């Protein structure tokens, strides 16, 4: 069967967080996407445990922060500590920490994003599996399988958000070079721990014979790594990593988890079964991959999230993938609605982010590896982490806040970066800038004394704010396309930038 009639605008393969985030962005841009998801119902398998870094600010700018479990008001940066390769990263030494944390299980992230996508008019077809594609100059013909029938549909653009083993990527022939390491075996389990081992003051797990293990801060020993993660409202999650173990095909057990902890720490931690009905984590993973697709675009087919990149460093893939979706969404919508075609900038902006994340992931792997040479390297690195500039560099990498998009002719310090979090004082009262960008439209923020900046086709807000900038031109993904600190901003480059990114020249 073929669905005849006018081609669909965008078909997204994959109904995980990245595909659903993209569906929301497209719908905000005036496009009604169709999401094809192989699973008949959302997975209940525990996966990621939260969002870290710039993506937390991004979901706030779409009004999703509280829905995902954040507290009312703006996200508050982490000014305490974070982890890097089993080192404590002391964020308190920074005046403005770039690290934001939002603890939310992926199951809830998918539920919230699916609800939002449907509210905005996206069509989500569950139990529909991608089976192949044929593309030409005008669009893509997609083959789909369901339990009842096979059919084809026609779309102007196709996006693969179908994970690291992406069938869409394979169908296009796009390569996925990188590194596979099989030296490590990692284990994760929801457990209970003895109450007398919990330190009520610090929240640490006090292990007799080893010492305190701080929450979420991995411990590295000569025999592996151990992490204790007391997730609010969920069972305690523990994890171990060991090297050069024989591969096992037996089902993972709680006894195996306990034995692994004993080998790593050198002492026994009597973990028990988790409370409640679950689903609970109990898994063993062999090795890890760090890979980036040769290209993010093949004609009318695009890749986002794990289909475009995977990293052997927990959490980085989801944080990067959701930002891929926010970058691509407004650009696809602009092309489809006839405003402007900037689709080629998707890869030039987002691939360097993946390459930077590879550096981060591989540095972590090197610093966690066993061996006397690594011990010496860690001693040196531990000394470096007492310096504020080093903490800033690592914190920016953790948060994904260290890659600036190409800015063309506007070299203002804010250009190419996410918009700052500003409280705007307008004639109608004070409002957060994050609340003004939730409709994913370009926005001109006029902070001049005269308050008379106007650009055709771009909404303007006239306000005052505590910043040196006098004007900001924001893209729909809240990145700064143009900025000025001049009392009377030069408007020719402002208009040229708006034409380049948002509005076709007349």
């Amino acid at each position: 069967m073929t669905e005849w009639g006018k081609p669909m605008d965008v078909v997204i393969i994959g109904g995980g967080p990245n595909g659903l985030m993209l569906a929301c962005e497209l719908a905000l841009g005036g496009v009604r996407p169709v999401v094809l998801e192989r699973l008949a119902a959302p997975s209940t398998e525990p996966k990621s445990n939260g969002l870290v870094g710039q993506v937390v600010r991004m979901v706030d700018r779409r009004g999703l922060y509280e829905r995902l479990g954040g507290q009312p008001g703006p996200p508050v940066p982490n000014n305490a500590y974070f982890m890097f390769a089993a080192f404590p990263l002391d964020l308190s030494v920074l005046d403005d920490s770039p690290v934001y944390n939002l603890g939310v299980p992926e199951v809830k992230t998918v539920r919230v994003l699916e609800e939002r996508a449907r509210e905005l008019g996206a069509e989500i077809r569950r139990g529909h599996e991608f089976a192949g594609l044929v593309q030409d100059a005008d669009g893509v013909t997609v083959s789909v399988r369901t339990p009842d029938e096979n059919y084809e549909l026609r779309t102007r653009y196709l996006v693969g958000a179908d994970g690291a083993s992406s069938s869409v990527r394979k169908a296009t022939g796009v390569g996925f070079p990188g590194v596979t390491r099989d030296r490590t075996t990692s284990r994760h389990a929801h457990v209970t721990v003895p109450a007398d081992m919990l330190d009520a003051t610090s929240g640490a797990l006090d292990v007799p014979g080893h010492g305190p293990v701080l929450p979420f801060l991995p411990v590295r020993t000569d025999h592996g790594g151990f992490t204790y993660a007391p997730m609010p409202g969920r069972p305690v999650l523990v994890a171990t990593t060991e090297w050069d173990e024989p591969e096992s095909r037996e089902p993972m057990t709680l006894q195996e988890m306990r034995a692994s902890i004993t080998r790593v720490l050198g002492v026994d931690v009597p973990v028990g079964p988790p409370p409640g009905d679950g689903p609970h984590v109990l898994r063993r993973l062999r090795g890890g991959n760090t890979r980036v697709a040769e290209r993010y675009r093949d004609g009318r087919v695009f890749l986002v999230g794990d289909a475009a990149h995977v990293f052997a460093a927990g959490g980085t893939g989801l944080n990067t993938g959701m930002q891929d979706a926010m970058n691509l969404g407004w650009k696809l919508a602009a092309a489809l609605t006839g405003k402007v075609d900037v689709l080629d900038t998707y890869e030039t902006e987002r691939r360097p982010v993946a390459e930077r994340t590879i550096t981060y992931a591989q540095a972590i792997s090197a610093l966690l590896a066993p061996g006397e040479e690594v011990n010496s390297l860690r001693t040196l690195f531990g000394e470096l982490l007492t310096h504020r500039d080093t903490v800033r560099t690592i914190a920016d990498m953790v948060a994904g806040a260290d890659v600036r998009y190409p800015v063309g002719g506007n070299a203002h310090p804010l250009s190419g970066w996410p918009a700052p979090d500003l409280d705007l004082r307008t004639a109608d009262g004070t409002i957060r800038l994050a609340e003004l960008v939730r409709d994913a439209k370009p926005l001109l923020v006029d902070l001049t004394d005269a308050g008379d900046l106007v650009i055709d086709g771009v909404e303007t807000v006239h306000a005052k704010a505590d910043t040196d900038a006098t004007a900001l031109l924001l893209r729909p993904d809240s990145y700064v396309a143009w900025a000025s600190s001049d009392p009377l901003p030069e408007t020719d480059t402002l208009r040229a930038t708006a034409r380049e990114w948002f509005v076709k020249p007349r």
Side-chain angles (χ1 to χ4, degrees):
M1 182 185 79
T2 301
E3 294 194 9
W4 301 104
K6 183 181 177 181
M8 296 172 178
D9 287 325
V10 181
V11 170
I12 301 167
I13 308 299
N18 301 319
L20 293 170
M21 189 78 224
L22 177 61
C24 293
E25 293 297 294
L26 286 165
L28 286 169
V31 173
R32 186 170 182 264
V34 175
V35 179
L36 304 181
E37 167 53 49
R38 176 179 58 84
L39 298 178
S43 172
T44 58
E45 179 186 355
K47 294 181 181 178
S48 70
N49 293 304
L51 305 178
V52 176
Q54 292 299 301
V55 70
V56 177
R57 298 175 65 208
M58 293 301 186
V59 296
D60 176 47
R61 293 176 181 195
R62 290 298 182 262
L64 295 170
Y65 178 69
E66 290 184 36
R67 291 177 67 165
L68 288 168
Q71 298 299 313
V76 178
N78 179 347
N79 292 306
Y81 73 88
F82 201 71
M83 68 291 295
F84 173 73
F87 289 105
L89 192 65
D90 185 4
L91 300 172
S92 68
V93 303
L94 303 178
D95 295 331
D96 55 338
S97 169
V99 179
Y100 293 78
N101 308 114
L102 178 57
V104 53
E106 188 166 320
V107 171
K108 181 176 181 180
T109 301
V110 169
R111 185 181 74 247
V112 169
L113 290 177
E114 182 166 338
E115 289 172 354
R116 181 57 174 155
R118 292 185 187 277
E119 289 170 5
L120 293 170
E123 180 183 352
I124 299 172
R125 302 182 183 181
R126 288 198 165 273
H128 292 239
E129 183 177 6
F130 170 80
L133 66 87
V134 176
Q135 67 168 312
D136 52 46
D138 298 319
V140 185
T141 301
V142 186
S143 299
V144 185
R145 286 192 294 261
T146 76
D148 299 323
E149 64 177 349
N150 299 336
Y151 67 95
E152 292 182 338
L153 53 80
R154 183 75 173 166
T155 181
R156 295 173 67 183
Y157 292 99
L158 178 71
V159 180
D162 51 341
S165 299
S166 171
S167 298
V168 173
R169 187 188 64 242
K170 294 173 182 176
T172 62
V174 172
F176 204 39
V179 176
T180 298
R181 291 186 174 86
D182 58 6
R183 287 191 64 193
T184 61
T185 299
S186 59
R187 295 176 175 87
H188 300 76
H190 279 139
V191 300
T192 55
V193 295
D196 60 0
M197 295 178 67
L198 300 178
D199 187 318
T201 302
S202 67
L205 181 69
D206 196 358
V207 180
H210 173 82
V213 177
L214 290 174
F216 307 104
L217 182 60
V219 172
R220 176 190 175 272
T221 73
D222 289 337
H223 305 287
F226 172 72
T227 304
Y228 161 67
M231 299 290 181
R234 286 175 276 166
V236 168
L237 181 68
V238 294
T240 60
T241 301
E242 297 182 80
W243 289 273
D244 301 324
E245 280 196 335
E247 186 170 2
S248 173
R249 298 188 181 278
E250 295 298 318
M252 171 77 172
T253 65
L254 197 60
Q255 290 73 24
E256 179 182 331
M257 182 82 251
R258 183 171 175 175
S260 179
I261 296 172
T262 301
R263 289 192 297 270
V264 171
L265 296 182
V267 294
D268 180 40
V269 178
V271 297
D277 297 329
H280 294 132
V281 173
L282 186 63
R283 63 172 176 259
R284 179 198 313 116
L285 299 174
R286 178 79 172 184
N289 288 285
T290 301
R291 298 180 178 275
V292 177
E294 289 178 336
R295 56 189 184 278
Y296 284 18
R297 179 182 188 180
D298 183 76
R300 289 180 171 266
V301 180
F302 292 85
L303 304 173
V304 301
D306 287 356
H309 46 68
V310 291
F311 311 107
T316 53
L318 178 60
N319 297 322
T320 306
M322 289 181 66
Q323 292 179 80
D324 291 345
M326 294 190 74
N327 186 288
L328 179 60
W330 73 270
K331 294 174 180 177
L332 271 173
L336 286 161
T337 54
K339 294 174 182 175
V340 68
D341 186 348
V342 291
L343 288 171
D344 284 340
T345 66
Y346 168 59
E347 179 170 336
T348 59
E349 290 183 347
R350 294 306 299 168
R351 203 170 190 280
V353 176
E355 291 168 348
R356 185 64 171 164
T357 308
I358 284 179
T359 299
Y360 169 73
Q362 292 182 336
I364 289 176
S365 296
L367 287 165
L368 290 176
E372 288 301 321
E373 297 90 345
V374 178
N375 291 342
S376 297
L377 178 62
R378 288 183 63 85
T379 298
L380 175 59
F381 218 90
E383 295 173 7
L384 293 174
L385 284 174
T386 64
H387 298 286
R388 180 183 299 179
D389 289 347
T390 306
V391 173
R392 164 58 67 179
T393 298
I394 301 299
D396 283 342
M397 290 187 74
V398 167
D402 60 342
V403 177
R404 184 184 191 185
Y405 290 164
V407 293
N410 183 233
H412 189 277
L414 292 177
S415 291
W417 299 105
D421 292 318
L422 297 175
D423 289 325
L424 301 179
R425 299 184 293 275
T426 73
D428 298 321
T430 300
I431 187 170
R432 291 197 299 133
L433 178 58
E435 298 176 56
L436 292 178
V437 296
R438 290 178 175 173
D439 60 357
K441 301 294 190 296
L443 179 69
L444 175 60
V445 182
D446 180 3
L447 303 173
T448 63
D449 290 334
D452 58 358
L453 294 180
V454 176
I455 297 294
D456 289 344
V458 178
E459 182 180 343
T460 302
V461 56
H462 305 282
K464 302 298 180 186
D466 296 329
T467 175
D468 293 335
T470 54
L472 301 169
L473 180 63
L474 307 187
R475 307 184 334 178
D477 58 1
S478 296
Y479 274 76
V480 178
W482 173 94
S484 176
S485 294
D486 296 332
L488 297 174
E490 196 277 308
T491 56
D492 287 345
T493 57
L494 169 58
R495 292 191 178 93
T497 303
R499 287 195 299 269
E500 176 186 358
W501 285 107
F502 314 130
V503 185
K504 274 187 175 181
R506 293 183 179 177

